[in-house]
Amino acid sequence: QVQLVESGGGLVQPGGSLRLSCAASGSIFNIYFMAWYRQAPGKQRELVASISGDGSTTYTDSVKGRFTISRDNAKNTVYLQMNSLKPEDTAVYFCYRRFGSIVTWGQGTQVTVSS
């Protein structure tokens, strides 16, 4: 069974940076659709960024120019580099994998942006 393990969350001041990592078990990682979602208290989970097997990416408007999603297929890992962080980026961030109709979620990692 594929597992996703996130790391890299924490407390950071506004304007700071964090890099989230999501390590996936299993094989053929390079063809998976991977994404990062986030969920703030009292809000619905939202898609932050995605990266497909061919490397094409998408971003939600609020993070464009600040966040970068990338993947290292040799390490079965997807990253989310977050720069110029704002208090409104505070949320639990979840790694997401889709292969056909099979969806897997990570356990989530807390990101708190506060002075």
Side-chain angles (χ1 to χ4, degrees):
Q1 184 175 355
V2 173
Q3 290 186 322
L4 303 175
V5 179
E6 300 108 330
S7 61
L11 172 64
V12 64
Q13 292 186 341
S17 298
L18 283 174
R19 188 177 80 156
L20 305 183
S21 299
C22 172
S25 62
S27 58
I28 56 174
F29 175 81
N30 59 305
I31 68 172
Y32 297 158
F33 175 88
M34 302 295 297
W36 288 95
Y37 282 74
R38 66 186 178 186
Q39 187 166 20
K43 295 188 176 181
Q44 289 189 332
R45 192 171 295 189
E46 67 167 345
L47 176 63
V48 176
S50 70
I51 185 165
S52 61
D54 64 4
S56 57
T57 59
T58 66
Y59 298 91
T60 191
D61 285 346
S62 63
V63 307
K64 285 180 180 177
R66 300 188 298 122
F67 290 12
T68 302
I69 189 170
S70 62
R71 63 194 298 160
D72 185 336
N73 292 332
K75 296 182 178 180
N76 283 14
T77 301
V78 64
Y79 304 97
L80 185 68
Q81 177 67 44
M82 305 185 293
N83 299 327
S84 302
L85 282 160
K86 305 174 180 181
E88 51 264 43
D89 295 318
T90 295
V92 178
Y93 284 70
F94 296 90
C95 184
Y96 167 99
R97 185 211 76 145
R98 188 182 74 230
F99 179 58
S101 61
I102 302 172
V103 170
T104 305
W105 290 93
Q107 81 286 355
T109 185
Q110 177 70 46
V111 172
T112 302
V113 184
S114 175
S115 55

